[in-house]
Amino acid sequence: MEQNLATAFRVTMAVEGGQRFVDHPSDPGGATKWGVSLRLARRLGLDLDGDGDVDVDDIRLISEPVAQRVFDQVFWQAVRADDLPAGLDLATADAAFHHGDLAARRLVQRAAGVTADGIIGPITLKACHADRMEVLRRLGGVRLVYMSTLPGWGTFGEGWGSRVVDVHAAAQDLAVGRI
């Protein structure tokens, strides 16, 4: 649901650290600000300082409006969040921001009990709308299982687990109209 985009961005930025610049040596994404990693910025060609390359200096220049555009165009749209029910839109977009859009599409499909082919089409949407609260509940568990298989789990697992809990609590609130 398009009107939930701003809420989803706000929730995702809260768990991402927002405007804080971080450069953890174990993070494969590299330097990050507003949740936009150096790896993603390079993929998108975000040469914000206009010096002909995308590097840490560009990450330091990422503003909230730039991060909002990236969130919308690269993650929200990629998982068809406007077509997902309230709550699932937020949780799926956050999963895309954290795991990549293909992984997020497959995770929501697993939670919905449909073939996890990575295509959010009519079958997936019908399953998500049929029982959104149950799909949302399952998505939290599916995300945790998926994350526990990733190489960074030993370093970041506790934080990733907290992220899922916080995002899914906000998603449930959004689903029932509390936010």
Side-chain angles (χ1 to χ4, degrees):
M1 306 187 114
E2 190 171 350
Q3 65 267 27
N4 295 340
L5 173 60
T7 299
F9 176 77
R10 181 180 48 77
V11 169
T12 296
M13 289 306 108
V15 296
E16 275 289 334
Q19 65 185 1
R20 209 167 37 103
F21 173 85
V22 285
D23 193 4
H24 193 287
S26 297
D27 185 344
T32 303
K33 184 176 178 187
W34 284 106
V36 179
S37 68
L38 179 57
R39 181 173 61 189
L40 175 60
R42 284 182 172 147
R43 190 180 97 206
L44 299 175
L46 290 178
D47 180 14
L48 299 175
D49 61 9
D51 67 353
D53 67 355
V54 178
D55 57 19
V56 173
D57 296 331
D58 297 294
I59 298 303
R60 292 182 191 282
L61 293 174
I62 292 175
S63 62
E64 185 173 6
V66 168
Q68 286 173 327
R69 276 193 310 278
V70 169
F71 185 81
D72 177 18
Q73 295 170 359
V74 178
F75 302 104
W76 185 263
Q77 291 179 29
V79 297
R80 294 188 61 185
D82 285 337
D83 298 322
L84 291 169
L88 266 176
D89 53 1
L90 184 164
T92 305
D94 178 73
F97 204 81
H98 195 237
H99 317 306
D101 59 281
L102 178 59
R105 290 190 305 263
R106 288 179 174 158
L107 292 171
V108 76
Q109 288 176 314
R110 285 187 196 121
V114 299
T115 302
D117 61 7
I119 300 168
I120 303 290
I123 293 170
T124 301
L125 292 172
K126 182 178 179 181
C128 287
H129 283 275
D131 193 357
R132 69 182 170 152
M133 295 306 284
E134 182 60 22
V135 176
L136 181 58
R137 184 191 65 74
R138 284 189 213 133
L139 181 57
V142 169
R143 284 186 74 184
L144 287 172
V145 169
Y146 171 77
M147 287 189 286
S148 72
T149 69
L150 299 175
W153 181 256
T155 303
F156 301 112
E158 186 176 337
W160 292 348
S162 294
R163 176 193 190 114
V164 170
V165 168
D166 293 347
V167 166
H168 284 260
Q172 288 174 344
D173 287 346
L174 184 61
V176 298
R178 284 195 289 258
I179 59 171

